[in-house]
Amino acid sequence: MSDQERKTILLLVEDEALIALAEKIALEKYGYQVITADSGENALEILEKNPGIDLVLMDIYLGNGIDGAETTRKILESRSLPVIFLSSHAESAVVERTEGIPAFGYILKNSGTAALVASIKMALRLFDAKRLVSKNEKALTPNEEKYRLLFETVTQGIVYQADDGRIISANPAAEKILGLSLNQMVGKTSMDSDWKTIREDGSELPGNEHPAMRALATGEVVGPSILGVYQPRKDSHSWLSVTAIPLFRPGERSPFQVYAIMEDITDRKKAEDALALERTFIDAIFNSVPGMLYLYDSEGLLVRWNRKHELMTGYSAAELSRMHLLDWYKGDEASLKAITEGINTTAVEGFGQAEANLQKKDGTTISMYFTASPLTIAGKRYFTGIGIDITRLKHVEETMKENEARLRTLSDNLPGGLLYQIDVGEDGRERRFTYISAGVEQLHGVTTSEVLNDAMAIYGQIVEENRQSLAESEAKAVDSMSVFSAEVRFLLPSGAERWGLFYSAPRRLPNRHIIWDGIEMDITDRKRAEEKVSALLLENELLLRETHHRIKNNMGVMYGLLSLQADSQEDDSCRGILTDAALRVQSMMVLYDKLYRTGNYRELSIRDFLPPLIDEIAQVFPSGPLVKMDIRIEDILLGEKILSPLGIIVNELITNSLKYAFTNASEGLITVSVSKKDNLVTMVYADNGVGIPETVTLENSTGFGMRLIAMLVQQIKGSVTIERGHGTKYVIEFPNP
């Protein structure tokens, strides 16, 4: 069998027979010849007898005897073979046992056959490449040995790659730069994803675009190129400058190798990036200044400026580079004088400022505020500063002056009032008028200058009984910084009395002082009118009370007369008619009394009205059966136009029940409930008496009481239904918006 046809022979060292058999069968399916050994000692014997073994798969734990790590050391002492550790353990303590052993891999047993086969192939390729390097090194001539010495000592990294991109050699500098040993690099290509190569902008660099791969593809020198290569130990990228040079055999047009020269520029790259960031930051600051930024030399020539300088003036960068400081103010003597004085101040005091009108390229002018500070660079003197467009600000100032003049005119001519501003200090205890309009002379009989000089010119006029309340209102408003108003009575120097309404809003100034901005209006006429109205109201109240008293007395007289007349009647029918009339009057008396007592003559809570009315009605029938009252009434406000009919209805219902429902009973129960849902009020009246006949309805009843109930329910725009069974129930519903 030729070398090309010979199967690769693997020595599998595994102390578990079943595992060894399963792995042997799996690997033989991939065309490998597998020899097994169940111990380290057995493995050494097999290797001694079989020189054709190509690779060793070594378990770390081998039971009794020497372990896998020690067995591997003994193997490598006598033979050069690729060894892959095959273990069930991933713990760091187990892996550390293999450190220092030049193995070609470490794979877990449960990784699968495909992963194991891939590891075997990679180990064989690495071993072949290493053997080729070793062979080439042994063939070096003395002259080549010199180059070899240079190769190993040069500070630049050098990596040799075969025509398929596989790394075949690298110098120590490359190992240091890439953070990998030669053994770890041999066999890898620039296409491997482990490099995680990136461009300067941070984007991924495909393997086929690596300088070495491009040099192999084009046959031309590629670089220097800047790229980032991942360093596993640092867990970060190192920046390299890489130049790839292809190598050719005599007479061949395609390179058979390429070598890449690399230099670690990470520190330089960081410095450049920091410098670029600093420059970007400075430019951003330069262009974010709220106005033009400038640098003039000692001759007055513009040296540097920001973009806003161009935008604000309309000049291009080329035109600005020829501008002199005074070119902006030709023909404007006032602006030239202001700028000249500002520059002189800068030279003497170290800072200067000025306001001037700057002439733009299109001939228009803008109002500017300029600053200037001197500085020295490389022994040469300059001054720098900013210029802010204050055209709108100047316009606002002019407008404010006009508005202030207009406001003063209005405030000085405010009819029956005045405007003022008071500084009350930081804690609100001081009093100093900073402004008061001319109306103070008419309202208080003092001049504006007197008030501005002494706040007591006004505060001293406040009558004694108002001073304390005003001070408390002001203190409360200062604490909450809220608007306040107060009515104050004054005693003027002339001896006259006057009323004023103060309305003030506080605000705090940057110096922490509190300012009151306010208005005072003369309300003397209003207060006098209010006093007259109060007197009239008091008089009307007395009249109304007397009227109510008389009405109540008259209704009491009517009730008393009807009751006396009823008692004097021998005829039961007449007595009942008069008693019913008296009860109806009593219903209105109870309502009137409740309305009078609440002081609200238009509406009353039905809870305050019905219970006492029911008690009054029940007392008229003391000799009847014992009847209990179950009253459940919600707190519902009703107008007197509803309460009055409703009281008569309840009177009729209770009277009927007490007269007729319990004739043969010793006791009974009357239930009255009132509730409201949305805008509908429901009153339910029920007794557990004998009930009324089916033939009797509100519509056909001949009795006055039933007809009266029907009419009153209609009056309040309600409805009534009668339910029979275990007594009688009336359900009355009516609207109450």
Side-chain angles (χ1 to χ4, degrees), residues 607-619:
R607 179 186 287 176
D608 296 332
F609 171 53
L610 282 187
L613 175 62
I614 294 170
D615 289 341
E616 296 268 0
I617 297 169
Q619 291 174 11

Side-chain angles (χ1 to χ4, degrees), residues 144-199:
E144 290 171 332
E145 182 63 30
K146 294 180 182 179
Y147 287 107
R148 177 67 179 183
L149 181 61
L150 180 63
F151 174 75
E152 292 182 348
T153 58
V154 71
T155 57
Q156 292 177 311
I158 302 174
V159 176
Y160 280 88
Q161 294 173 243
D163 56 0
D164 61 357
R166 288 183 299 109
I167 295 176
I168 57 176
S169 182
N171 69 344
E175 293 180 282
K176 181 178 179 182
I177 291 171
L178 297 174
L180 298 172
S181 67
L182 178 59
N183 286 339
Q184 291 173 313
M185 282 190 280
V186 170
K188 292 172 70 72
T189 73
S190 302
M191 304 289 287
D192 289 348
S193 59
D194 293 347
W195 297 111
K196 299 180 183 178
T197 309
I198 58 174
R199 300 185 179 93

